[in-house]
Amino acid sequence: MSGHSKWATTKHKKAVIDARRAKSFAKLIKNIEVAAKVGGPDPSGNPTLADAIQKAKKSSVPNDNIDRAVKRGGGLTGDSIDYQTIMYEGYGAGGVALLIECLTDNKNRAAAEVRTIMSRNGGTMGDPGSVAYNFSRKGVVSISKTDSLTEDDLLLAVLDAGAEEVIDRGGGFEVITDPSQLVEARSAVQAAGIDYDAAEAEFVPSVKIEVDVTTAQKVLGLVDALEDSDDVQNVFTNMDLSPEVAQALDALDE
């Protein structure tokens, strides 16, 4: 799940882990193909592609797979890449809002699958605009905490690069920018010698809902099910996990 209530389960059987890894690879490859199609196959002149490649490498996608995806997306292999981005809106347990971002070559299939997953996992679909008004498109640079990196250091590095704020997320920092300033902020982070985990445009909620452990489990189960779909690229929510709830969820997962 992307955004502020990001959550990753760690205790799964090997078969489940392998299946998730394969799906993650496929989605990262799809992002590379689309970026190469839109902005060309040269990452030095296509920052979106450069970031997509960087993210894939951080997730251990093999270089051969990345190279093939760049060539396919850039039209160098004769293959036709035709994906549509579609947003669906809905609600999970406790009235938590969901923005479901799909990247698909079959709109009807994606719509049917999202509706089925929502209905089977306690979610409800919303009308267009019923949820989206609460989210704004933002550039988000995610950075893991280290002993040598302080919030002030990071703020100093990105202050003149269009950063709106730096947020401490517990295990890491997020630099929030206007989407148009994302590349500049990411470059400023790199120039300061700071390693980053991801730099991408996300939908950030303006109003968040704090939830209890039971509600969080239900929402996370729904998000997991949605992210298992090949057509779903990202799920954004306005769920706010307090440190206490996050700790309780951690304990349940052990």
Side-chain angles (χ1 to χ4, degrees):
M1 176 170 54
S2 300
H4 299 292
S5 45
K6 198 167 187 176
W7 181 261
T9 51
T10 55
K11 309 284 186 181
H12 286 294
K13 294 179 181 178
K14 184 178 184 300
V16 176
I17 293 173
D18 288 346
R20 287 271 171 97
R21 191 165 182 251
K23 283 183 180 291
S24 174
F25 277 16
K27 293 179 182 185
L28 291 166
I29 289 296
K30 198 184 288 187
N31 279 338
I32 291 171
E33 290 173 346
V34 171
K37 180 179 180 180
V38 173
D42 181 7
S44 64
N46 183 349
T48 303
L49 176 60
D51 283 335
I53 291 172
Q54 170 86 350
K55 188 174 181 182
K57 286 184 174 181
K58 282 182 176 290
S59 298
S60 302
V61 176
N63 287 332
D64 285 349
N65 296 39
I66 292 172
D67 292 341
R68 284 196 295 270
V70 171
K71 289 175 181 176
R72 273 198 307 272
L76 304 179
T77 63
D79 296 327
S80 176
I81 304 298
D82 186 23
Y83 294 118
Q84 289 180 284
T85 299
I86 307 165
M87 300 296 297
Y88 297 103
E89 303 175 40
Y91 300 92
V96 170
L98 302 174
L99 264 187
I100 305 155
E101 185 177 32
C102 293
L103 189 59
T104 181
D105 57 2
N106 188 322
K107 183 177 179 179
N108 292 334
R109 180 190 66 218
E113 190 160 341
V114 167
R115 288 182 182 279
T116 299
I117 293 169
M118 291 286 279
S119 64
R120 287 179 178 174
N121 292 274
T124 56
M125 297 298 293
D127 294 328
S130 60
V131 164
Y133 75 92
N134 187 39
F135 290 81
S136 300
R137 193 75 160 167
K138 295 289 184 181
V140 181
V141 184
S142 302
I143 298 149
S144 294
K145 281 188 176 179
T146 65
D147 292 338
S148 60
L149 180 64
T150 68
E151 187 173 345
D152 286 341
D153 291 336
L154 184 55
L155 189 59
L156 189 63
V158 298
L159 200 57
D160 294 327
E164 295 178 359
E165 58 180 329
V166 173
I167 303 174
D168 186 336
R169 294 296 180 194
F173 297 109
E174 286 182 346
V175 178
I176 309 297
T177 75
D178 185 90
S180 64
Q181 299 290 112
L182 177 59
V183 173
E184 190 174 345
R186 182 212 63 185
S187 299
V189 168
Q190 289 179 301
I194 301 168
D195 191 28
Y196 70 96
D197 298 319
E200 51 198 328
E202 298 184 1
F203 284 95
V204 177
S206 55
V207 177
K208 293 179 282 186
I209 295 178
E210 192 166 319
V211 297
D212 58 22
V213 174
T214 301
T215 301
Q217 284 180 299
K218 291 177 181 177
V219 174
L220 292 169
L222 172 57
V223 170
D224 263 353
L226 286 165
E227 291 191 333
D228 270 344
S229 168
D230 291 336
D231 288 321
V232 175
Q233 285 294 104
N234 294 295
V235 181
F236 304 95
T237 87
N238 68 339
M239 180 170 68
D240 188 19
L241 297 177
S242 68
E244 294 77 19
V245 169
Q247 187 175 6
L249 288 168
D250 228 353
L252 288 170
D253 206 40
E254 291 178 353

